[in-house]
């Protein structure tokens, strides 16, 4: 009987304040949409880091002919200098950092260049003598790329040392900024929800002040009086949470997967959305319950 009464009062309140209930649903939907998007984006960034950083290599390019760099003032790297770098990379000192070393001769470099630029005029004009010898170094721990790069920089015959991680980090910093921006918008929208939900509950409580007074006279407890109002806010927020989850799932499954799914990197999927769905629902319930409680402390207290 009590449950039926509470539900009937809740439904009555929602119908009486339909516009405000829709506002709560909308602001909750937008808030959780941004929260979910920020979480999925951060997961995607972490997956990319795990996948790409494992493939990070340090490349040491030996001095070619006619290099203008100061470290190549002595001319093209000699075979003795190349052997010295090879011996250093194979030494016990570097063994704990290096997993494998790939040596690329001038002939290998020319073949790679011609494959990469097969459709350009350069592919047929470049000669083997214009190429440069290099070492491709696969690391045991990609996090230690800078140690290996600094150890090679400045050695005799080494023109430049490039590490792929340094090229990737600006990309990840940019993606992280998108995550922070989405998170900031989500926080603003959550605050908006915390302000809007109490306003909705207060209006509902004010419109039904006579009913609540009668309920007090007949001995209804404070919880019995407050329950319908709290359920109004929770139901409206839950509808917003469900819409946010459905929207994220549709976008991920029918757009992100089709646009970005490849065989070489994992892209977030609908399964990831389902993993975060319970947390979005819990967030909606907590925000609505807290906002409703703060509003009801004044308008339905005994």
């Amino acid at each position: 009987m009590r449950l039926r009464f509470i539900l009937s009062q809740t439904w009555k309140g929602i119908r009486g304040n339909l516009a405000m209930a829709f506002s709560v649903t909308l602001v909750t939907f937008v808030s959780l949409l941004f929260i979910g998007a920020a979480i999925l984006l951060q997961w995607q960034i972490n997956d990319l880091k795990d996948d790409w950083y494992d493939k990070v290599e340090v490349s040491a390019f030996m001095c070619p002919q006619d290099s203008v760099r100061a470290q190549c003032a002595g001319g093209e790297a000699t075979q003795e200098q190349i052997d010295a770098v090879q011996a250093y990379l194979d030494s016990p000192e570097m063994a704990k950092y290096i997993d494998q070393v790939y040596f690329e001769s001038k002939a290998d470099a020319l073949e790679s260049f011609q494959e990469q630029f097969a459709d350009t005029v350069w592919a047929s004009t470049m000669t083997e003598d214009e190429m440069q010898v290099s070492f491709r170094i696969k690391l045991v721990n990609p996090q230690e790329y800078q140690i290996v790069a600094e150890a090679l920089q400045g050695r005799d015959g080494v023109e430049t040392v490039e590490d792929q991680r340094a090229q990737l980090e600006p990309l990840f910093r940019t993606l992280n900024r998108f995550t922070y921006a989405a998170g900031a918008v989500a926080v603003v929208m959550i605050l908006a929800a915390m302000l809007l939900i109490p306003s909705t509950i207060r209006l509902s409580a004010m419109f039904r002040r006579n009913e609540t007074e009668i309920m007090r006279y007949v001995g209804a407890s404070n919880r019995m009086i407050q329950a319908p109002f709290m359920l109004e806010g929770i139901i409206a927020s839950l509808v917003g949470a469900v819409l946010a989850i459905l929207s994220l799932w549709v976008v991920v499954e029918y757009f992100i997967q089709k646009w970005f799914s490849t065989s070489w990197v994992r892209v977030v999927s609908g399964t990831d959305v389902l993993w975060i769905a319970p947390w979005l629902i819990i967030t909606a319930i907590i925000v609505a319950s807290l906002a409703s409680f703060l509003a009801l402390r004044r308008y339905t207290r005994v």
Side-chain angles (χ1 to χ4, degrees), residues 38 41-42 45 49 169-185:
L41 180 57
Q42 194 58 51
I45 293 171
K49 284 182 177 180
E169 284 184 339
L171 170 64
F172 289 130
R173 281 198 296 270
T174 301
L175 292 175
N176 279 325
R177 290 190 185 105
F178 282 114
T179 302
Y180 300 147
V185 173

Side-chain angles (χ1 to χ4, degrees), residues 3-289:
L3 179 60
R4 183 182 300 176
F5 174 77
I6 292 173
L7 293 177
S8 66
Q9 290 295 106
T10 301
W11 177 242
K12 181 179 179 181
I14 291 175
R15 284 188 302 172
N17 296 280
L18 196 57
M20 293 300 292
F22 177 76
S23 300
V24 172
T25 297
L26 183 61
V27 76
T28 305
F29 163 72
V30 176
S31 304
L32 297 182
L33 190 66
F34 275 100
I35 291 176
I39 293 172
L40 292 174
L41 180 57
Q42 194 58 51
W43 282 5
Q44 184 64 73
I45 293 171
N46 291 335
D47 286 341
L48 290 174
K49 284 182 177 180
D50 292 340
D51 186 70
W52 287 358
Y53 281 174
D54 283 343
K55 297 179 175 63
V56 163
E57 293 181 352
V58 173
S59 299
F61 294 94
M62 305 301 291
C63 291
Q65 292 180 356
D66 303 323
S67 175
V68 297
R69 292 180 178 268
Q71 56 268 39
C72 295
E76 184 178 9
T78 64
Q79 187 60 46
E80 288 76 13
Q81 291 172 333
I82 295 172
D83 292 341
V85 172
Q86 180 72 68
Y88 179 69
L89 294 174
D90 294 336
S91 66
E93 178 186 351
M94 301 301 292
K96 58 183 177 181
Y97 303 116
I98 296 175
D99 179 40
Q100 197 167 0
V101 177
Y102 304 93
F103 176 74
E104 186 175 73
S105 65
K106 288 186 176 184
D108 296 332
L110 179 61
E111 183 180 350
S112 177
F113 180 85
Q114 289 174 337
E115 288 179 0
Q116 187 174 358
F117 298 95
D119 298 330
T120 67
V121 67
W122 298 336
S124 59
T125 58
M126 295 296 290
T127 65
E128 184 175 316
D129 288 337
E130 294 175 293
M131 297 292 103
Q132 64 186 133
V133 172
S134 63
F135 293 91
R136 303 286 194 271
I137 305 157
K138 185 172 177 59
L139 306 177
V140 173
N141 181 5
Q143 302 286 340
E144 297 176 333
Y145 71 96
Q146 199 161 0
I147 297 174
V148 178
E150 290 176 354
L152 291 172
Q153 196 73 53
R155 297 189 71 85
D156 291 340
V158 176
E159 182 188 34
T160 58
V161 179
E162 297 180 359
D163 58 87
Q164 295 170 344
R165 183 175 175 128
Q167 299 170 5
L168 294 174
E169 284 184 339
L171 170 64
F172 289 130
R173 281 198 296 270
T174 301
L175 292 175
N176 279 325
R177 290 190 185 105
F178 282 114
T179 302
Y180 300 147
V185 173
V187 170
V188 172
M189 296 305 298
I190 287 291
L191 292 176
M194 291 292 292
L195 295 174
L196 182 60
I197 294 174
S199 300
T200 304
I201 300 302
R202 286 173 189 150
L203 283 175
S204 182
M206 289 175 64
F207 289 146
R208 291 151 59 189
R209 185 180 295 274
N210 291 336
E211 296 178 22
T212 56
E213 289 296 332
I214 293 172
M215 291 175 65
R216 288 196 185 102
Y217 289 141
V218 298
S221 66
N222 221 33
R223 290 183 180 179
M224 177 69 71
I225 296 172
Q226 292 176 352
F229 299 107
M230 294 188 69
L231 279 176
E232 288 177 30
I234 291 173
I235 290 172
S237 295
L238 282 176
V239 173
V242 171
L243 290 176
I245 293 167
L246 289 174
S247 299
L248 286 171
W249 189 87
V250 169
V251 169
V252 166
E253 280 294 310
Y254 293 99
F255 294 95
I256 303 299
Q257 281 287 318
K258 286 187 177 181
W259 292 345
F260 302 107
S261 183
T262 64
S263 58
W264 54 272
V265 66
R266 194 191 81 86
V267 179
V268 290
S269 64
T271 303
D272 295 309
V273 177
L274 296 180
W275 272 106
I276 66 173
W279 299 105
L280 296 181
I281 291 173
I282 290 171
T283 300
I285 293 173
I286 291 175
V287 170
S289 299

